[in-house]
Amino acid sequence: MPEGKIVKALSGFYYVLTADGLITQCRGRGIFRKNKINPLVGDSVVFQADNDREGYILEVLPRKNELVRPPIANIDQAILVFSAMEPEFSTALLDRFLVLVESKEVTPLICISKMDLIDQDEKLNFFAEYYRKIGYEVILISTKDPEGLKEILPYLKDRTSVIAGQSGVGKSSLLNVLRPELALKTNDISTHLGRGKHTTRHVELIEINDGFVADTPGFSSLEFQEMEAEEVKECFPEFVHISDQCKFRECTHLKEPKCAVKDAVETEKIAAFRYKHYVSFVEEIKDRKPRY
């Protein structure tokens, strides 16, 4: 039986791309619903083709990860797009995205867009350098500079990437520059709400530079529903790097004495804003209502 990758899901149909470049429109087997198996964009599947265009998915192969919102599987990389202005750059929101991405073992790429709207900004440069220092790739871009955007292309090769971030930061504009023939619909920022109008309606993988990029509706939920409080510290790489220096092996970096992370915050080796966000995320998880 042929195998392929689901590159689009729409109205109960799954569009499966095979290695030879053909796309077959498939339905899922009824037993999937019975067994609570939900094929996702990004899934590798075994299918049976009734003809050149139509078929049925027989098996969903094991996933390495999956996201719930947006519903997508087997992601290698998350391109997190945040704007320098309109809306204003937010480290709190970026750190929330980073924790969610790290928890799924997805590699983040931080893109700060709309750099054409600001002059050299010392504060923004500080943030960019700090995130680089703790191990993240950070690139500064402007959709008004198509040549500069090509800096992203090497990161896309041979990877399946999800593009996400603040609403209204130019995610669809970015894809339009990388592949102009897409002509993806974009909307201006809503001045009343300070956010972009929702423009992307379904999940679809788009081929760019020998890789796949998901143009998705973005993360409609940024809550830590699938995480426990003790897991959050593992999603801060600068904490992980020095945690073996804490007095207690299972140190939560909150109230324990002789904590290397808290000491590093005091000596400014770890940024205070990162530690503040860590504490607030842990408290948020501890305060959430139990699910039954």
Side-chain angles (χ1 to χ4, degrees), residues 4 6 89 97 155 283:
I6 299 177
F89 182 74
F97 271 99
Y155 293 98
E283 289 175 348

Side-chain angles (χ1 to χ4, degrees), residues 91-202:
T91 56
L93 192 55
L94 174 56
D95 285 346
R96 184 173 285 266
F97 271 99
L98 287 171
V99 168
L100 289 165
V101 166
E102 291 273 9
S103 72
K104 297 291 185 181
E105 298 184 356
V106 174
T107 301
L109 170 65
I110 300 170
C111 291
I112 302 178
S113 68
K114 301 187 181 179
M115 292 300 293
D116 54 290
L117 296 182
I118 65 168
D119 296 322
Q120 282 297 316
D121 189 307
E122 287 185 15
K123 190 175 180 182
L124 197 60
N125 286 332
F126 164 78
F127 289 136
E129 286 307 312
Y130 182 79
Y131 284 106
R132 288 185 181 120
K133 185 180 78 171
I134 61 175
Y136 292 119
E137 294 281 356
V138 181
I139 56 178
L140 308 178
I141 60 172
S142 167
T143 52
K144 302 285 177 65
D145 177 20
E147 283 301 310
L149 281 175
K150 290 180 181 177
E151 187 179 347
I152 295 177
L153 291 175
Y155 293 98
L156 305 182
K157 189 174 177 64
D158 300 326
R159 295 177 180 174
T160 297
S161 303
V162 61
I163 190 166
Q166 286 167 291
S167 183
V169 297
K171 298 187 291 290
S172 292
S173 297
L174 171 60
L175 286 171
N176 281 338
V177 172
L178 294 175
R179 274 199 55 184
E181 69 272 22
L182 293 173
L184 295 171
K185 184 180 177 184
T186 61
N187 275 333
D188 293 332
I189 298 288
S190 164
T191 53
H192 177 64
L193 297 174
R195 64 188 187 196
K197 300 169 187 174
H198 186 63
T199 55
T200 314
R201 300 297 177 187
H202 65 276

Side-chain angles (χ1 to χ4, degrees), residues 259-280:
C259 168
V261 169
K262 288 192 294 181
D263 289 347
V265 176
E266 287 293 325
T267 57
E268 299 184 352
K269 292 177 182 176
I270 287 178
F273 76 88
R274 286 277 287 174
Y275 184 73
K276 177 184 175 184
H277 297 158
Y278 165 71
V279 173
S280 69

Side-chain angles (χ1 to χ4, degrees), residues 8-291:
K8 182 168 73 169
L10 189 63
S11 303
F13 289 100
Y14 303 98
Y15 297 82
V16 179
L17 175 69
T18 57
D20 56 9
L22 298 177
I23 291 181
T24 303
Q25 176 182 284
C26 295
R27 286 193 177 276
R29 295 174 65 200
I31 196 168
F32 286 167
R33 187 175 301 172
K34 180 180 177 183
N35 293 338
K36 296 184 179 178
I37 297 172
N38 182 31
L40 297 175
V41 169
D43 271 330
S44 296
V45 298
V46 178
F47 69 100
Q48 178 179 340
D50 296 336
N51 51 53
D52 289 345
R53 295 185 178 179
E54 299 176 316
Y56 283 87
I57 294 174
L58 302 178
E59 181 184 359
V60 176
L61 299 176
R63 296 168 180 156
K64 73 174 184 177
N65 57 35
E66 66 179 273
L67 301 178
V68 177
R69 299 187 185 91
I72 189 166
N74 299 319
I75 295 297
D76 301 310
Q77 173 176 256
I79 302 170
L80 304 178
V81 185
F82 280 70
S83 64
M85 291 282 290
E86 298 181 9
E88 189 175 351
F89 182 74
S90 167
T91 56
L93 192 55
L94 174 56
D95 285 346
R96 184 173 285 266
F97 271 99
L98 287 171
V99 168
L100 289 165
V101 166
E102 291 273 9
S103 72
K104 297 291 185 181
E105 298 184 356
V106 174
T107 301
L109 170 65
I110 300 170
C111 291
I112 302 178
S113 68
K114 301 187 181 179
M115 292 300 293
D116 54 290
L117 296 182
I118 65 168
D119 296 322
Q120 282 297 316
D121 189 307
E122 287 185 15
K123 190 175 180 182
L124 197 60
N125 286 332
F126 164 78
F127 289 136
E129 286 307 312
Y130 182 79
Y131 284 106
R132 288 185 181 120
K133 185 180 78 171
I134 61 175
Y136 292 119
E137 294 281 356
V138 181
I139 56 178
L140 308 178
I141 60 172
S142 167
T143 52
K144 302 285 177 65
D145 177 20
E147 283 301 310
L149 281 175
K150 290 180 181 177
E151 187 179 347
I152 295 177
L153 291 175
Y155 293 98
L156 305 182
K157 189 174 177 64
D158 300 326
R159 295 177 180 174
T160 297
S161 303
V162 61
I163 190 166
Q166 286 167 291
S167 183
V169 297
K171 298 187 291 290
S172 292
S173 297
L174 171 60
L175 286 171
N176 281 338
V177 172
L178 294 175
R179 274 199 55 184
E181 69 272 22
L182 293 173
L184 295 171
K185 184 180 177 184
T186 61
N187 275 333
D188 293 332
I189 298 288
S190 164
T191 53
H192 177 64
L193 297 174
R195 64 188 187 196
K197 300 169 187 174
H198 186 63
T199 55
T200 314
R201 300 297 177 187
H202 65 276
V203 182
E204 181 173 357
L205 291 180
I206 300 163
E207 289 189 78
I208 301 178
N209 198 38
D210 297 324
F212 291 98
V213 178
D215 182 35
T216 78
F219 287 71
S220 56
S221 173
L222 289 173
E223 298 174 2
F224 303 114
Q225 294 294 344
E226 298 177 56
M227 292 187 70
E228 300 301 327
E230 58 270 17
E231 296 173 347
V232 179
K233 64 182 181 182
E234 303 300 328
C235 300
F236 282 74
E238 68 269 51
F239 293 12
V240 175
H241 183 64
I242 62 170
S243 60
D244 60 348
Q245 299 172 33
C246 294
K247 179 179 180 180
F248 299 100
R249 181 178 294 179
E250 298 302 321
C251 186
T252 64
H253 317 313
L254 295 172
K255 297 179 179 179
E256 296 91 342
K258 297 185 179 179
C259 168
V261 169
K262 288 192 294 181
D263 289 347
V265 176
E266 287 293 325
T267 57
E268 299 184 352
K269 292 177 182 176
I270 287 178
F273 76 88
R274 286 277 287 174
Y275 184 73
K276 177 184 175 184
H277 297 158
Y278 165 71
V279 173
S280 69
F281 297 160
V282 170
E283 289 175 348
E284 179 181 330
I285 292 172
K286 287 181 176 178
D287 289 343
R288 75 183 174 203
K289 294 178 181 178
R291 290 173 292 165

